[in-house]
Amino acid sequence: MKNRIIITLVFFFISTQFLAAQEDYTKHQKITIKRAIAVITSTKGNFVRGVVTFEEVDKGIHVIANLTGLTLGKHGFHIHEFGDINSDDGNSAGGHFNPMEMPHSMPMNEKRHAGDMGNIEADEKGNAHLDYIDPVMKLNGEYSIIGHAVIIHAKEDDFKTQPTGNAGARVGYGVIGIAK
Ligand code: CU
Ligand code: ZN
């Protein structure tokens, strides 16, 4: 009888601990993300570096990118499906992030891949700066960009070729993480 009471008490204690831990996890999932960041490194044979930040504002997500080490001109600039940058050519990041199953297009078009950020243009020194408000992408909810990857391409996105924009090889990449 005494043993049974002890076993019951122990079991009760373990289950309350388990429920408490589960509740904490649920709370964590409900945090609203306000800022995100991707630190960009280069794929093999390239020299791209930089930072891309994403901040929630009234009309969408404020994207700011500062990159160095690019060749002169426009470079396709996208969020790709997988936050996997383990391959040295960037191909492990998969295709464009497209949770709403839209065609490839330009950033200001509502019918586009969620990851379509257009092009980023580098000057003769290889420096590129981009600053715009994205009306489609999200930091929170089921279509959140968190955990996916930013990809910078060798060539310009033509906004026509499906589903890639024909932007060529991947020269830089970085995983999007939650920022303070
Ligand atoms: Cu891309
Ligand atoms: Zn696309």
Side-chain angles (χ1 to χ4, degrees):
M1 188 62 193
K2 201 178 171 187
N3 278 350
R4 234 163 135 182
I5 290 167
I6 289 167
I7 288 165
T8 308
L9 282 173
V10 166
F11 185 75
F12 179 74
F13 179 76
I14 290 168
S15 44
T16 52
Q17 292 301 301
F18 178 71
L19 286 172
Q22 240 188 358
E23 197 185 341
D24 279 347
Y25 181 72
T26 313
K27 270 182 198 158
H28 177 74
Q29 293 296 86
K30 281 179 187 159
I31 287 171
T32 303
I33 298 158
K34 290 283 182 195
R35 281 186 84 238
I37 185 164
V39 176
I40 306 299
T41 56
S42 60
T43 57
K44 196 176 181 185
N46 297 292
F47 306 95
V48 187
R49 299 213 157 260
V51 173
V52 185
T53 58
F54 303 87
E55 187 166 16
E56 200 166 76
V57 293
D58 282 349
K59 287 176 178 156
I61 303 299
H62 187 186
V63 180
I64 301 174
N66 282 298
L67 303 176
T68 60
L70 282 162
T71 55
L72 177 69
K74 290 180 179 175
H75 298 268
F77 185 59
H78 313 129
I79 296 167
H80 282 234
E81 188 174 3
F82 307 116
D84 178 355
I85 58 168
N86 198 32
S87 66
D88 58 16
D89 59 5
N91 286 337
S92 51
H96 294 189
F97 179 46
N98 183 26
M100 289 169 276
E101 297 184 356
M102 292 288 187
H104 175 69
S105 192
M106 53 187 76
M108 290 310 147
N109 191 342
E110 234 170 86
K111 287 187 176 169
R112 52 163 251 209
H113 296 150
D116 289 343
M117 299 189 288
N119 286 296
I120 187 164
E121 190 165 8
D123 62 20
E124 59 287 337
K125 286 180 182 163
N127 298 325
H129 175 72
L130 181 72
D131 186 325
Y132 81 105
I133 310 283
D134 192 292
V136 172
M137 68 171 67
K138 301 267 184 286
L139 291 189
N140 295 284
E142 103 184 89
Y143 301 145
S144 169
I145 62 169
I146 304 294
H148 301 272
V150 171
I151 296 278
I152 298 105
H153 291 270
K155 296 198 298 172
E156 180 176 352
D157 184 331
D158 66 9
F159 300 136
K160 287 191 191 95
T161 310
Q162 298 297 331
T164 62
N166 195 31
R170 303 166 184 206
V171 296
Y173 49 19
V175 179
I176 303 168
I178 300 167
K180 196 176 174 186

